[in-house]
Amino acid sequence: DFLIGGQLYHTIPYEVEVINTAQKGDEINDIMKNKEVKLDVKDYWELYKWYILGVLILLALIFIIYYLVRYAKRRKNSPMVMTNQTLKELEILKKKKFIENGDYRSFYVELIDISRNFITKQYKIPADVLLTDDLIDVMKTNNTISPENEKIVEDIFLRGDLVKFAKTFPDQPTMQTDFNDIKTFVKRSSKDLEDEQLRTGV
């Protein structure tokens, strides 16, 4: 529609029918050949930059996560962390007042369980599965634990076995001394590991 001089005019309508004359098997040729365009580095960068950046970001995230997990695991298993954790467990044991109440069996069962778990994780000695005599032999052969600490563990573990089988009945001073000795052993453990590292050159 056209508006001319205030009057509306209409164009003549036409209908166009388009017929595809191509037959099956006809060879179809382009009107003009495809033009080859040479791309330089900048062009390729513009085409693929978001893919490249995405891959780099993904790799960076994987790298960061890997080292965070590795650092957290190493820190969790570090000698000082294990020492502090065991000292907290010993304080919890102390608050149960087994010593004051004369409950020597419960006291030695928990004290030795805490000590075995500590030796297993701190010194990488399977104290949680070894019998006392076998553990003592392994400690003496391993040489990771200092002789002073070995003596503490040996005396208290042997006494604990006697208590569990009702062959001995320790008094409160003995129980308190054993508690303090294990606490001292735990605190000195990091020194054992430092000496071992110097000895092995690790």
Side-chain angles (χ1 to χ4, degrees):
D1 296 342
F2 293 91
L3 190 63
I4 301 173
Q7 189 168 347
L8 186 63
Y9 293 89
H10 303 279
T11 59
I12 300 171
Y14 288 96
E15 289 186 4
V16 179
E17 183 179 359
V18 179
I19 300 174
N20 184 4
T21 59
Q23 300 296 319
K24 186 176 180 180
D26 287 352
E27 184 179 352
I28 299 174
N29 297 311
D30 290 333
I31 296 172
M32 63 182 298
K33 291 184 179 181
N34 293 329
K35 185 177 181 182
E36 291 185 3
V37 178
K38 290 185 178 180
L39 301 177
D40 57 19
V41 176
K42 185 177 179 182
D43 295 320
Y44 282 111
W45 170 252
E46 288 298 326
L47 285 170
Y48 300 109
K49 65 180 178 182
W50 297 116
Y51 297 100
I52 296 171
L53 289 173
V55 170
L56 290 175
I57 291 170
L58 181 62
L59 290 174
L61 285 174
I62 293 171
F63 181 81
I64 291 169
I65 291 170
Y66 171 76
Y67 274 94
L68 284 176
V69 170
R70 188 176 176 183
Y71 173 77
K73 187 176 180 181
R74 186 170 59 230
R75 180 168 175 77
K76 185 178 178 181
N77 294 328
S78 69
M80 284 308 301
V81 170
M82 196 62 224
T83 297
N84 293 334
Q85 181 181 333
T86 305
L87 290 174
K88 288 178 183 177
E89 291 175 4
L90 289 172
E91 286 304 310
I92 292 172
L93 172 60
K94 185 177 181 180
K95 289 177 181 177
K96 293 181 179 179
K97 296 188 179 298
F98 290 145
I99 296 175
E100 292 81 351
N101 297 330
D103 189 353
Y104 48 84
R105 193 175 191 285
S106 298
F107 170 74
Y108 278 98
V109 167
E110 290 202 24
L111 181 67
I112 290 174
D113 281 347
I114 291 170
S115 303
R116 283 182 178 277
N117 184 53
F118 175 74
I119 293 169
T120 300
K121 292 183 178 179
Q122 189 81 314
Y123 293 98
K124 305 297 184 288
I125 296 174
D128 53 341
V129 295
L130 291 174
L131 297 174
T132 299
D133 290 339
D134 295 330
L135 174 59
I136 292 169
D137 289 339
V138 169
M139 287 192 300
K140 292 181 183 299
T141 306
N142 188 275
N143 289 327
T144 303
I145 303 177
S146 66
E148 297 82 6
N149 286 336
E150 279 181 15
K151 187 76 170 77
I152 289 174
V153 173
E154 181 177 356
D155 289 347
I156 294 174
F157 276 39
L158 290 174
R159 184 161 30 255
D161 284 352
L162 292 174
V163 169
K164 282 192 284 185
F165 296 111
K167 293 184 178 180
T168 187
F169 306 94
D171 53 20
Q172 288 188 7
T174 302
M175 294 163 69
Q176 186 62 57
T177 299
D178 286 346
F179 178 84
N180 293 338
D181 285 347
I182 286 294
K183 197 171 181 180
T184 301
F185 157 61
V186 171
K187 289 179 179 178
R188 289 194 309 214
S189 65
S190 56
K191 183 70 170 59
D192 284 347
L193 297 176
E194 288 174 4
D195 292 343
E196 176 65 14
Q197 288 177 349
L198 289 173
R199 196 161 49 243
T200 58
V202 177

